[in-house]
């Protein structure tokens, strides 16, 4: 008998586990937050997962991203996540989409085929586009706000984005969603005031954000937990 999920089934029951096995979830952005969210969804027994990211693993990702190993440097993040997922649970139907979600690529995605969407994208414009398209498709979406320039992994909470505070990214996304007429979006956000990082090591013109191992991971795990609880109705 396969022992993989016996402890989870003992916790949530066979019927709820079957709901997860039948669920189709997409994770957009497989970086610091997204890689942890994606792997938690795999290990929870989600039956079908799509990982979307056009970026490749860089040395600067090694301090905080599950997909980042010395052996994966230069590889596409979505593809690495697909390979990890297959090694964890070969029965999980995993798909890697090796491109960014943005205005140029959005029409190639049929969001209506998913039961839930995880927004772990960095770009404000792309986040708002994904959220509004998911809403139009009638698919639940949870969006992660800023996890950079933070040191307190315990400061993350889940709330309607209109009720978030102390997060500069949430403020901007909230404003743009209001313009688009979208409300009631579930968000993972931190109430910790951002830390100002030392930018002396940044390249010229680089948008430099500080990050540490235990913060984006905390956000990603919290996000995945919300998806699982929503899918099983807990």
């Amino acid at each position: 008998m396969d022992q993989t999920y016996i402890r989870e089934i003992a916790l949530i029951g066979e019927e709820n586990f079957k709901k997860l096995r039948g669920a189709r979830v997409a994770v957009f952005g497989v970086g610091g937050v997204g890689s942890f969210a994606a792997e938690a969804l795999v290990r929870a027994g989600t039956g079908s997962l799509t990982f979307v990211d056009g970026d490749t693993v860089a040395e600067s990702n090694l301090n905080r991203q599950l997909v980042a190993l010395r052996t994966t440097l230069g590889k596409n993040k979505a593809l690495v996540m697909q390979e990890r997922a297959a090694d964890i649970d070969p029965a999980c139907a995993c798909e890697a989409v090796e491109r960014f979600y943005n205005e140029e690529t959005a029409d190639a995605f049929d969001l209506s085929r998913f039961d839930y969407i995880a927004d772990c994208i960095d770009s404000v414009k792309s986040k708002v586009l994904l959220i509004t398209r998911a809403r139009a498709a009638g698919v639940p979406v949870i969006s992660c706000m800023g996890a950079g320039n933070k040191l307190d992994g315990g400061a993350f909470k889940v709330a309607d984005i209109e009720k978030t505070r102390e997060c500069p990214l949430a403020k901007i996304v909230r404003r743009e969603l209001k313009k688009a007429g979208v409300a009631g979006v579930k968000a993972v956000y931190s109430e910790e005031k951002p830390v100002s990082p030392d930018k002396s090591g940044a390249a010229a013109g680089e948008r430099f954000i500080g990050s540490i191992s235990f913060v984006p991971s905390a956000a990603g795990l919290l996000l995945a937990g919300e998806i699982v609880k929503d899918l099983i109705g807990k």
Side-chain angles (χ1 to χ4, degrees), residues 124-181:
V124 172
K125 200 168 186 179
S126 295
K127 289 180 89 66
V128 173
L129 179 62
L130 177 60
I131 293 168
T132 54
R133 291 276 183 109
R135 178 60 60 84
V139 181
V141 58
I142 183 169
S143 181
C144 189
M145 298 297 110
N149 294 337
K150 304 290 179 77
L151 285 169
D152 185 1
F156 285 98
K157 296 185 177 183
V158 179
D160 185 313
I161 195 168
E162 295 168 9
K163 297 180 181 179
T164 58
R165 60 190 184 91
E166 298 293 356
C167 177
L169 177 59
K171 183 178 180 179
I172 298 169
V173 174
R174 189 168 61 235
R175 181 191 67 206
E176 295 304 309
L177 287 175
K178 186 176 181 179
K179 289 180 185 176

Side-chain angles (χ1 to χ4, degrees), residues 61-233:
N61 302 148
L62 286 165
N63 77 318
R64 69 193 185 283
Q65 299 185 14
L66 277 179
V67 292
L69 304 169
R70 295 288 172 185
T71 54
T72 63
L73 292 176
K75 294 185 178 180
N76 174 268
K77 293 179 182 180
L79 188 59
V80 174
M81 194 67 243
Q82 181 189 38
E83 292 170 350
R84 284 181 68 91
D87 201 17
I88 295 165
D89 183 357
C92 178
C94 299
E95 175 188 16
V97 180
E98 300 177 55
R99 60 177 176 268
F100 294 109
Y101 184 88
N102 52 39
E103 287 182 320
E104 289 72 40
T105 64
D107 288 342
F109 291 87
D110 178 11
L111 301 183
S112 66
R113 69 189 182 96
F114 301 114
D115 298 306
Y116 217 113
I117 289 171
D119 163 36
C120 305
I121 300 173
D122 292 331
S123 162
V124 172
K125 200 168 186 179
S126 295
K127 289 180 89 66
V128 173
L129 179 62
L130 177 60
I131 293 168
T132 54
R133 291 276 183 109
R135 178 60 60 84
V139 181
V141 58
I142 183 169
S143 181
C144 189
M145 298 297 110
N149 294 337
K150 304 290 179 77
L151 285 169
D152 185 1
F156 285 98
K157 296 185 177 183
V158 179
D160 185 313
I161 195 168
E162 295 168 9
K163 297 180 181 179
T164 58
R165 60 190 184 91
E166 298 293 356
C167 177
L169 177 59
K171 183 178 180 179
I172 298 169
V173 174
R174 189 168 61 235
R175 181 191 67 206
E176 295 304 309
L177 287 175
K178 186 176 181 179
K179 289 180 185 176
V182 176
V185 175
K186 184 179 283 193
V188 173
Y189 75 103
S190 171
E191 293 190 344
E192 178 189 6
K193 291 183 183 297
V195 175
S196 296
D198 178 0
K199 298 184 180 182
S200 60
E206 180 184 5
R207 179 173 169 266
F208 191 81
I209 297 175
S211 191
I212 197 165
S213 61
F214 50 81
V215 173
S217 53
L221 293 175
L222 181 59
L223 184 146
E226 286 298 309
I227 292 175
V228 169
K229 287 186 288 184
D230 282 349
L231 288 172
I232 67 176

